[in-house]
Amino acid sequence: MTAAVAVGVLVAGGAYLVLQRGLLRVVLGFVLLGHAMVVLVLAAGGDRGGFALPGNGAGAPADPLPQAFVLTAVVIAFAVTVYLLGLLRAGAPDPDADPDDDARGPS
Amino acid sequence: MSALVVAPVGLPLVVAAVLLLAPRSTVLARVLGIGSTGLVVVAASVLLARTLTGEVPVVQVGGWPAGIAVVLALDAFGALVLLLTASVTLLGLVYAVGTGEDRDRTFTPLVLVMSAGVSGAVSTADLFNLFVFVEVVLIPSYVLLTMARRRQRIAGARLYVSVNLLASTLFLGGIGLLYGVTGTVQLGQLAGVAADNAPAALAAALVLLAMGIKSAVVPLHSWLPGSYSVAGPAVTVLFSGLLTKVGLYALFRLWSVLFDGDRRFLWVLLVVAVLTMVVGVLSAVGAKAVRPVLTAHMVSQIGYVLVGLGLSTVAGLGAATFFLVQYVLVKAALFMVGGAVEVRYGTDVLSRLGGGLVHRERWLAVAFAGSALALVGIPPTSGFVAKLQLATAAAADGPWWVLLAVVAVSAVTLVSMLKLWNGVFWGDPPPLPAPARRASATLVGPPLLLAAGALLLGLWAEPLLTASTIAGGQLADPSAWVAAVTR
Amino acid sequence: MSLLVALAVLGGLAATAPLLTRILGRDAGYVLAAGFLGVAALLAAHAPAVLDDRTVDWSAEWIPSLGVSVALRLDGVSLVFSLVALVVGALVLAYCCRYLSDATARGPVYPLLTLFAAAMVGLVLADDLVLLYVFWEITTLCSFALVSTAGAKAAGPGRHALVVTVVGGLALLVAVVLLTLATGTTRLSAVLADPPAVLASPYAIPIAACTALAAFTKSAQFPFQSWLPGAMVAMTPVSAYLHAATMVKAGIYLLVRMSPLFAGQTAWSAVLITVGLTTALLGAVQALREHDLKGMLARSTVSQLGLLVAVIGVGTSTALAAALLHTMAHALFKATLFMLVGIVDKETGSRDIRELSGLRTVMPWTAAATAVAALSMAGVPPMLGFVSKEYLFMGLLSADVTPWAGPVAGALAVTASALTFAYGARIVWGAFGGPVEQPELYEPAPAFLAPAAVAAVVGVVAGPAVSLLDPVVDSATTDALPGSTPPSVYAWHGLSPELAMSAVTVVVGLVLFWQRERVDAALQRLRLPDGPALFTRGHDALLALGGRVGAPDRSASLAAHLARPLLAVVALGVAGAVALGPLPGRVDVGDPGRWVVVALLAVAVLGTVLSTRTVALVALVGVTGLVVALWLLLSGALDVAITLLLVEVLTAVVLVLVLRGAPHRLPAAGPRRWPTAVLAVAVGVVAAGATAALTGRRELSAAGTFFLDRAEELTGGTNVVNTVLVDFRGLDTLLESVVVGVAALGLLVLGTTTVPHPTDTDDVLLRVGTRLLAPGMLLLSAWLLWRGHDEPGGGFISALVAGIAVALRQLASGTVPTRSWQQPGVLLGAGAVLAVGVGLAPLLVGDALLTPFAVLPFLSSALVFDLGVWLMVLALVVAVVQALGARPRDELEREGVAA
């Protein structure tokens, strides 16, 4: 249940940011959505792991497959986020354009 | 055999890496790029011949047991799409020589990576692996989009990247949910799971939604015109032949395997398909430059293909496959012609071109006329055979409004193509200054070849029809593929 | 077989026409005409067999998968139509030899005309429904191409004609598809032999309606008639051949062909008779209003086709015989009239009857030929036109749809015919009557006049000799209406109702001609709708609709495009909530500590949503990441937690680099705050619901159990997650590294628009700290890489650690790595070679891709693979630092710093 609430909160926040003006908020919204997917995929493996630190044997070991998925997804998302930020940087805003909105698609 | 299945993925990747390490040389890039893609085409042809006999070549990556290893497998449908995408990549690379876009050092490696990703996406039988392969296709496309010199390329790239990122996120979510319900991401083990398990059907629907965004299905298609209109000409050709096709392939494969014959939701597919056809063609008729018209037609033709999926009979799926193959070729030809006009005259806006190019660009006009006829579906082109097959399947198994839509959209497509013909080629000699040199063979050759191919396929349609019917049959009944994948 | 030869010869003529014109110039037309007559002779040679009710056919498979074959069949109907097409074609081609100049003749006209003839003959010979459709559309295409040769002014009329006829063609396609479905075959003769199968099927009405629609568009019937006058912009031979004698007859042919199926049906008869007679009247009235000779002939064609349609609708054997007879007569006299008008146009330079006058004196033979043809058109004895019109009247009178149908139809036909007489007289008088105004003109050359004159003479002779045609018409009628007794065809029927009707026609026509000024004035005041203008308005409306439909796609705001998928997700969620049945029980272990973390998360997310300053937003997103990492620790996912933390740190660094110089305040929220919030919350609710419903309700998966139990024994590593990444699912990791590498490339490509520009940092602490930390971090990275297989660590984590070191150095000192081995491209290439090499190497020994092996006794392939991954991820970080550590070139230029 906690996973569900966590996912819901992150998705709601991420979706809100993604729909805002300004590419920075869009990118950060995607970061939040990415976190949501991390929580969701791990929850899909079953919320069974115990607090894990080296030497701690409490709790059944968590399903490793979703962890592998998540690792891959996190790195891919990082690569894309970084690239998107590069696009943010590269599209230095036109001085005549609306300074409030740099998340403009082509019209 | 396993080398053949791996080659379309491995070879382009290796060549791309070599090109990055090698000293900068456009000639080397052209030779290696076109050469390796040619080899991939050969491999795909051999694979197609094998799969048409009913065989399903399988590779268990890493040698691990079934259910653990990632499996690469090809049936007739997969092999057909593989051959199709490899051929488009090959012609696209040749065309890029003509437009000059491949002079950029990173162009050919990026195209090769994209091609490897598409080949892998078509070959994989693992859902998460499909996700990763789709990302492998997408990332180079992000970069290729920004390489053009058109205005607003950054804005177009932002739109394209954002929408695809959202689609990828939804895809991942769907995979996660599906794993949560079923405990596996292997497609063979997931066979039929959505047909009798409602939660699994829901998760599968989310995955299909994500694929629908990537396939530019209405109403999720709005990103396509804005993104494709800012890419370079050769890049647009490659995109049209590769990107949305991955989405379509995934839609077909996932529907076939996950929903395995469930007929409860077919009406949704049919409604979406007809909507896509209609909205696409109307947007095309109202657009004012060559590329937006062609992009909107892409959406419309995707709707045609989805009609076949929505009918879900062997006839319908076979018709969808045939339609898919011939439409990719025709669409590539049309984009090539549009791109050639842009490259030589600097614009593709109809009001600025003013018509009359038939006097100067004889071969381009011929290529356009042939491809346009195939797009509308006028005999004796491949588009006609495809439309006939689809109409027959729709009349036999679908509601009447599907047949009506197939025919009516065809008529509006004619109006749109006529508008392009009159706006670009027909009329008095143009006021625009003529380019210095004649159009090169690499610029005019590929579209002419494709247009001739469309005519040939129309007159001698039987081989491809047989192949499509076999592919359609295997989509309707994927048990052979499932068995091979889970062995 | 000879049917195939006939088509092949025609096709061959079309292909060789360019060569012929190169050698012979415009005289190539004579060769082509001879070819046509040869083919006609070939077909006519089969006439005895056909008349004897033996059929001549040939077929070969074309598309077996769809059951389509190339099937040709010669029976009475097809014999009539094909001979008409070929003989008139020969005449028109002979005419072209003098009408065209040598330059025009070298253009596409001859090949197109020949190709068209081949398609037309193919159409009437086709015994396969799909083949018929194919030829139908080819004739449409040829017509469009021929009209287009008139130049730019033909764009509008060409479009009008093409669209209307293609729409009709598509209707024919629908009819073909439905017919195939209803009868199970595409063979036309089989379909026609089995009317009950068609009529009993549910598709009967659509088939009939679509067939009629196709015929109406092709034969220019009301309300589709307006394309034909527009097509008159084409040159006269084209008008004479296509738009008078052959292409427009294709619709007539179709209706005759389908008569066995529908002739007895009341609705069919009613529709055809009504539309036909309406068209006949409308066309005749419009012809009488025209001043352009070609325009009059076009309207006249429309009108005559209307009569044909009406009489086919009647459906009795007399009526069908009349239709066939009149088809032949009309083709003859109409083609003749067109050719003569063309002669007048060429000789005088005008086609307007208001300008022409008195040509009978300077061109007596032309005038005579015109008069003869016009008399045939008007239905005056002893012309063939008179005989056919008599039969038309006979046929219409025998209409039995309702008791009064016959007389009414007859009366309307008489009216139309009277008008025909009037405009026929108008044509002859307008051009040739009146005082001479251009005495310098002279008779055209005999070769020019001959084809038209020959046709005119045939029209005169064939009238009295019409009984020669009796066997042909008989055979055709029985083919069109199996089992019926055709009337016998002869010239003089004695005093009969039809004769009276003809007499009335002539009298009324003479009166209309005598009062022509008054009639003219009255008609000019009549306002009729302008067909082409209506079509153009419709066309433009369609384009405008399209523009509006496509408008949302051109929206400039990103949110508009992103909102749609989110809405779709909400819709899916709602559908799921409604449709979801009972779910299995939850299996997860609850943990109260988690709720605290969730609460922290909620606060952080709320903060990001509400923040208005850039720094706050970035910081809060970072906090969110930390909370999620904490969550991951609580769930037992140690590797993932570490990776997420490192990624957060790197992202923060990148954000700092990117946002230098950016405004401190974020752009204000748009006008749609509340709907956006509602949508976002809805999506969140759907996500939460899906997570709750679809996860945590089953035991550990089979794959998970396998990995946990057997990973160590199979791979030698105790860090199960790492073994999954590099051993079991190495393909995923390899591909993901490729993704990372391409992103690095992409940043380098973007970076070409930037300039390395050292930033100035006087933060001594940062500099010194970095210089101390960096070597340590690199060592840590190596250690993490080495131990990854057994303990938390591995390729990604170690590479990220190294990456942080690099990034911190950039932040602190502002320099970019300059040594060549530190360039991202090299790192990328090396990493790719390692990883892909290790992956592909097993293929060389016959193992599957990515099978683990020992590279050296202590060095597993997994480690080498991880090293490759390490290099590629590091390449990304270096590329990021290089690309984003610089500033955009134009920004620098704006600040006046030289690039």
Side-chain angles (χ1 to χ4, degrees):
Chain A
M1 267 323 274
T2 46
V5 175
V7 168
V9 164
L10 281 166
V11 166
Y16 183 81
L17 283 178
V18 148
L19 294 172
Q20 293 306 302
R21 300 160 83 186
L23 193 60
L24 178 66
R25 273 193 286 212
V26 173
V27 173
L28 293 176
F30 276 119
V31 169
L32 286 184
L33 285 177
H35 291 326
M37 289 303 116
V38 166
V39 177
L40 187 142
V41 173
L42 276 175
D47 252 344
R48 58 179 5 89
F51 188 54
L53 275 181
N56 186 338
D63 191 342
L65 194 53
Q67 294 183 55
F69 290 162
V70 164
L71 266 171
T72 309
V74 161
V75 174
I76 292 181
F78 172 63
V80 178
T81 308
V82 159
Y83 185 73
L84 203 51
L85 287 174
L87 279 180
L88 175 73
R89 186 82 180 138
D94 188 354
D96 313 308
D98 179 3
D100 267 355
D101 186 0
D102 65 35
R104 287 184 73 81
S107 46
Chain B
M1 177 48 69
S2 86
L4 263 184
V5 175
V6 170
V9 180
L11 185 59
L13 281 180
V14 168
V15 172
V18 165
L19 280 176
L20 280 177
L21 289 174
R24 183 205 163 104
S25 158
T26 313
V27 173
L28 182 68
R30 283 176 189 173
V31 166
L32 283 182
I34 295 180
S36 60
T37 314
L39 285 175
V40 171
V41 169
V42 170
S45 315
V46 174
L47 284 168
L48 180 63
R50 302 291 282 259
T51 54
L52 282 177
T53 63
E55 189 184 325
V56 181
V58 166
V59 170
Q60 318 254 29
V61 176
W64 307 109
I68 297 301
V70 173
V71 177
L72 299 177
L74 280 173
D75 65 353
F77 182 68
L80 207 51
V81 175
L82 182 67
L83 180 58
L84 179 69
T85 50
S87 311
V88 173
T89 311
L90 182 62
L91 284 171
L93 280 174
V94 172
Y95 181 71
V97 175
T99 64
E101 280 162 272
D102 70 341
R103 299 216 187 98
D104 197 303
R105 181 171 192 183
T106 52
F107 180 84
T108 311
L110 286 170
V111 172
L112 286 173
V113 172
M114 222 164 78
S115 153
V118 173
S119 307
V122 163
S123 316
T124 183
D126 181 287
L127 202 52
F128 187 77
N129 197 236
L130 178 67
F131 169 77
V132 183
F133 266 120
V134 167
E135 294 302 309
V136 171
V137 174
L138 284 177
I139 306 293
S141 71
Y142 297 163
V143 182
L144 284 170
L145 197 59
T146 56
M147 272 167 53
R149 299 284 165 265
R150 291 172 72 101
R151 329 175 285 133
Q152 296 191 319
R153 74 185 200 280
I154 300 294
R158 286 178 185 178
L159 172 64
Y160 178 66
V161 174
S162 308
V163 172
N164 273 287
L165 195 48
L166 186 60
S168 296
T169 311
L170 290 175
F171 190 12
L172 186 60
I175 296 179
L177 288 172
L178 200 54
Y179 184 76
V181 176
T182 60
T184 173
V185 290
Q186 234 251 29
L187 279 178
Q189 294 175 337
L190 286 171
V193 74
D196 33 47
N197 184 342
L202 215 57
L206 182 59
V207 173
L208 288 178
L209 178 67
M211 287 299 115
I213 302 176
K214 291 200 197 288
S215 311
V217 159
V218 169
L220 306 164
H221 68 290
S222 58
W223 58 273
L224 196 67
S227 322
Y228 278 35
S229 53
V230 304
V235 171
T236 312
V237 169
L238 288 166
F239 279 15
S240 80
L242 299 178
L243 293 175
T244 41
K245 307 310 159 285
V246 172
L248 270 179
Y249 169 82
L251 270 176
F252 271 76
R253 176 66 69 204
L254 294 173
W255 181 271
S256 155
V257 173
L258 296 177
F259 282 88
D260 199 10
D262 187 356
R263 304 194 72 84
R264 283 174 298 163
F265 306 114
L266 286 180
W267 65 271
V268 176
L269 274 179
L270 278 176
V271 167
V272 166
V274 168
L275 207 59
T276 309
M277 277 163 62
V278 171
V279 169
V281 85
L282 283 178
S283 307
V285 120
K288 298 200 169 47
V290 175
R291 216 192 272 189
V293 170
L294 294 177
T295 315
H297 274 300
M298 261 184 80
V299 175
S300 177
Q301 305 273 308
I302 286 170
Y304 271 98
V305 176
L306 284 177
V307 164
L309 184 64
L311 293 172
S312 240
T313 55
V314 175
L317 289 166
T321 310
F322 185 89
F323 200 102
L324 177 66
V325 172
Q326 67 90 25
Y327 133 69
V328 167
L329 299 175
V330 168
K331 201 18 86 65
L334 284 170
F335 271 119
M336 283 180 184
V337 170
V341 168
E342 259 180 72
V343 163
R344 286 171 65 70
Y345 293 91
T347 175
D348 72 337
V349 178
L350 292 176
S351 51
R352 277 192 232 140
L353 281 171
L357 286 183
V358 70
H359 301 279
R360 287 204 205 131
E361 312 279 353
R362 188 67 63 82
W363 291 115
L364 277 182
V366 168
F368 178 82
S371 320
L373 285 177
L375 194 76
V376 176
I378 300 218
T381 59
S382 60
F384 161 64
V385 178
K387 196 170 68 179
L388 177 66
Q389 202 188 9
L390 199 62
T392 313
D397 297 304
W400 60 270
W401 39 272
V402 174
L403 179 62
L404 185 65
V406 167
V407 165
V409 167
S410 207
V412 182
T413 309
L414 173 70
V415 173
S416 168
M417 285 293 116
L418 205 51
K419 192 174 91 165
L420 278 187
W421 172 256
N422 285 332
V424 177
F425 288 105
W426 196 248
D428 301 317
L432 293 172
R437 293 184 310 191
R438 279 186 27 199
S440 65
T442 49
L443 198 60
V444 175
L448 212 50
L449 191 64
L450 286 171
L455 189 61
L456 187 66
L457 270 180
L459 289 171
W460 192 41
E462 193 56 27
L464 184 59
L465 266 178
T466 327
S468 314
T469 314
I470 294 179
Q474 290 182 356
L475 278 174
D477 176 24
S479 48
W481 187 86
V482 168
V485 158
T486 49
R487 199 162 9 97
Chain C
M1 190 61 198
S2 48
L3 297 179
L4 182 65
V5 169
L7 282 181
V9 167
L10 286 172
L13 280 175
T16 52
L19 186 62
L20 285 170
T21 49
R22 185 114 40 104
I23 306 174
L24 295 169
R26 62 185 185 170
D27 285 339
Y30 288 128
V31 176
L32 296 172
F36 276 29
L37 289 175
V39 174
L42 180 62
L43 291 176
H46 289 291
V50 169
L51 297 175
D52 221 3
D53 249 353
R54 291 173 284 135
T55 56
V56 179
D57 50 27
W58 182 88
S59 71
E61 283 208 326
W62 181 25
I63 311 178
S65 298
L66 296 174
V68 175
S69 46
V70 176
L72 302 171
R73 190 164 178 275
L74 185 66
D75 67 353
V77 177
S78 38
L79 187 63
V80 167
F81 278 90
S82 54
L83 286 179
V84 165
L86 288 167
V87 168
V88 175
L91 288 172
V92 169
L93 280 169
Y95 173 76
C96 278
C97 296
R98 289 293 162 262
Y99 184 88
L100 300 174
S101 64
D102 264 336
T104 325
R106 286 180 220 278
V109 178
Y110 277 146
L112 281 173
L113 280 175
T114 321
L115 185 64
F116 170 81
M120 191 69 206
V121 172
L123 187 135
V124 302
L125 287 179
D127 192 26
D128 182 289
L129 285 168
V130 174
L131 190 65
L132 185 123
Y133 172 76
V134 170
F135 281 128
W136 180 281
E137 293 290 46
I138 294 183
T139 60
T140 304
L141 283 179
C142 289
S143 162
F144 176 72
L146 282 166
V147 169
S148 298
T149 55
K153 66 179 188 292
R159 174 175 69 197
H160 188 19
L162 184 65
V163 172
V164 171
T165 42
V166 165
V167 167
L170 288 170
L172 180 60
L173 181 64
V174 171
V176 164
V177 167
L178 292 177
L179 266 175
T180 315
L181 212 55
T183 57
T185 171
T186 56
R187 203 50 90 86
L188 187 55
S189 41
V191 168
L192 293 175
D194 196 7
V198 175
L199 293 172
S201 85
Y203 309 119
I205 298 187
I207 294 175
C210 286
T211 311
L213 183 63
F216 289 168
T217 52
K218 197 75 154 183
S219 299
Q221 296 299 293
F222 180 81
F224 308 110
Q225 82 281 11
S226 48
W227 69 264
L228 193 54
M232 293 296 121
V233 301
M235 62 173 75
T236 305
V238 172
S239 307
Y241 193 30
L242 271 70
H243 302 131
T246 40
M247 188 176 102
V248 293
K249 293 286 166 47
I252 305 294
Y253 168 77
L254 185 67
L255 291 175
V256 170
R257 221 0 131 205
M258 294 299 175
S259 291
L261 294 176
F262 301 122
Q265 305 299 309
T266 318
W268 173 264
S269 299
V271 167
L272 258 62
I273 296 177
T274 318
V275 169
L277 287 174
T278 313
T279 312
L281 282 170
L282 188 61
V285 167
Q286 282 179 324
L288 213 44
R289 276 163 46 106
E290 281 274 354
H291 298 285
D292 173 20
L293 283 171
K294 259 183 103 169
M296 281 194 268
L297 289 177
R299 306 271 182 202
S300 158
T301 308
V302 169
S303 171
Q304 297 287 311
L305 288 170
L307 285 175
L308 279 171
V309 168
V311 88
I312 294 176
V314 171
T316 61
S317 62
T318 318
L320 282 169
L324 290 159
L325 206 53
H326 196 63
T327 302
M328 293 190 268
H330 175 259
L332 266 181
F333 65 65
K334 197 44 72 64
T336 311
L337 282 170
F338 265 110
M339 286 195 270
L340 290 165
V341 164
I343 290 177
V344 168
D345 191 13
K346 268 277 164 103
E347 300 290 328
T348 67
S350 166
R351 295 194 314 238
D352 193 325
I353 54 172
R354 293 169 295 196
E355 290 170 11
L356 297 169
S357 172
L359 293 176
R360 72 188 177 287
T361 324
V362 290
M363 305 183 183
W365 289 107
T366 314
T370 315
V372 164
L375 284 173
S376 190
M377 176 166 76
V380 173
M383 315 293 176
L384 181 61
F386 162 70
V387 179
S388 64
K389 191 148 288 179
E390 290 276 284
Y391 276 94
L392 271 179
F393 289 148
M394 240 197 292
L396 284 170
L397 281 178
S398 69
D400 54 5
V401 180
T402 66
W404 42 266
V408 169
L412 289 173
V414 166
T415 320
S417 303
L419 291 167
T420 308
F421 187 103
Y423 67 68
R426 184 183 165 92
I427 291 175
V428 174
W429 185 257
F432 300 101
V436 176
E437 284 177 12
Q438 292 168 292
E440 72 281 5
L441 295 173
Y442 48 86
E443 195 79 65
F448 198 6
L449 187 54
V454 162
V457 166
V458 169
V460 176
V461 168
V466 74
S467 36
L468 287 175
L469 293 171
D470 187 36
V472 176
V473 175
D474 267 3
S475 164
T477 313
T478 35
D479 288 320
L481 216 51
S484 62
T485 34
S488 44
V489 176
Y490 52 94
W492 183 248
H493 292 241
L495 292 174
S496 57
E498 302 78 52
L499 191 60
M501 289 164 79
S502 290
V504 169
T505 306
V506 172
V507 167
V508 175
L510 278 171
V511 168
L512 285 172
F513 176 63
W514 176 46
Q515 294 291 325
R516 59 187 175 279
E517 263 114 51
R518 291 231 210 106
V519 170
D520 216 12
L523 284 180
Q524 295 301 331
R525 280 201 300 273
L526 200 60
R527 279 167 37 120
L528 291 171
D530 181 358
L534 273 177
F535 177 81
T536 313
R537 277 228 307 269
H539 180 263
D540 293 339
L542 180 63
L543 264 57
L545 173 67
R548 281 205 301 276
V549 165
D553 300 344
R554 292 191 282 278
S555 159
S557 97
L558 205 51
H561 296 278
L562 290 172
R564 295 191 195 192
L566 293 175
L567 278 168
V569 169
V570 173
L572 188 61
V574 168
V578 165
L580 218 48
L583 297 162
R586 294 199 70 89
V587 190
D588 59 349
V589 291
D591 186 348
R594 304 242 193 144
W595 284 108
V596 174
V597 177
V598 170
L600 277 175
L601 194 60
V603 168
V605 169
L606 197 60
T608 63
V609 159
L610 294 175
S611 63
T612 51
R613 292 185 154 270
T614 314
V615 173
L617 178 64
V618 171
L620 281 168
V621 170
V623 167
T624 316
L626 289 176
V627 176
V628 173
L630 184 58
W631 171 281
L632 293 172
L633 279 179
L634 286 178
S635 305
L638 190 51
D639 269 357
V640 185
I642 299 176
T643 312
L644 195 65
L645 270 173
L646 292 171
V647 164
E648 276 304 306
V649 169
L650 267 175
T651 312
V653 171
V654 169
L655 278 168
V656 168
L657 286 175
V658 162
L659 291 174
R660 281 174 309 178
H664 292 295
R665 293 197 73 87
L666 292 165
R672 299 203 174 180
R673 269 182 77 174
W674 287 111
T676 313
V678 166
L679 177 59
V681 168
V683 179
V685 165
V686 166
T691 317
L694 268 55
T695 64
R697 290 173 192 271
R698 60 167 174 78
E699 293 305 321
L700 187 61
S701 67
T705 323
F706 179 91
F707 289 133
L708 287 172
D709 290 341
R710 303 194 56 198
E712 185 173 353
E713 103 192 45
L714 285 173
T715 65
T718 51
N719 183 351
V720 183
V721 176
N722 185 276
T723 62
V724 172
L725 277 176
V726 299
D727 290 308
F728 294 108
R729 294 190 71 101
L731 186 59
D732 285 344
T733 312
L734 174 62
L735 293 171
E736 151 205 8
S737 313
V738 168
V739 168
V740 162
V742 173
L745 260 185
L747 283 169
L748 290 179
V749 167
L750 277 180
T752 54
T753 62
T754 61
V755 171
H757 185 79
T759 53
D760 37 5
T761 293
D762 28 79
D763 194 334
V764 176
L765 194 59
L766 187 58
R767 278 208 208 162
V768 170
T770 307
R771 205 171 280 175
L772 284 177
L773 277 179
M777 290 183 79
L778 286 171
L779 272 178
L780 176 66
S781 167
W783 179 65
L784 283 171
L785 179 64
W786 178 262
R787 75 173 217 154
H789 217 207
D790 297 320
E791 303 288 333
F796 291 126
I797 293 178
S798 52
L800 291 172
V801 167
I804 291 178
V806 170
L808 281 179
R809 245 188 78 206
Q810 159 64 2
L811 256 188
S813 66
T815 54
V816 289
T818 47
R819 273 175 258 199
S820 66
W821 60 266
Q822 290 174 350
Q823 292 306 305
V826 174
L827 290 172
L828 202 56
V833 165
L834 276 178
V836 176
V838 160
L840 289 178
L843 282 179
L844 297 172
V845 295
D847 276 336
L849 184 68
L850 284 168
T851 312
F853 60 98
V855 176
L856 294 170
F858 58 88
L859 194 62
S860 65
S861 62
L863 188 57
V864 177
F865 186 74
D866 243 353
L867 183 62
V869 170
W870 189 90
L871 283 169
M872 289 204 268
V873 175
L874 187 62
L876 174 65
V877 179
V878 174
V880 166
V881 157
Q882 271 193 342
L884 301 181
R887 295 163 72 187
R889 203 182 288 259
D890 30 349
E891 194 179 303
L892 285 172
E893 279 165 5
R894 273 202 293 277
E895 293 177 8
V897 177

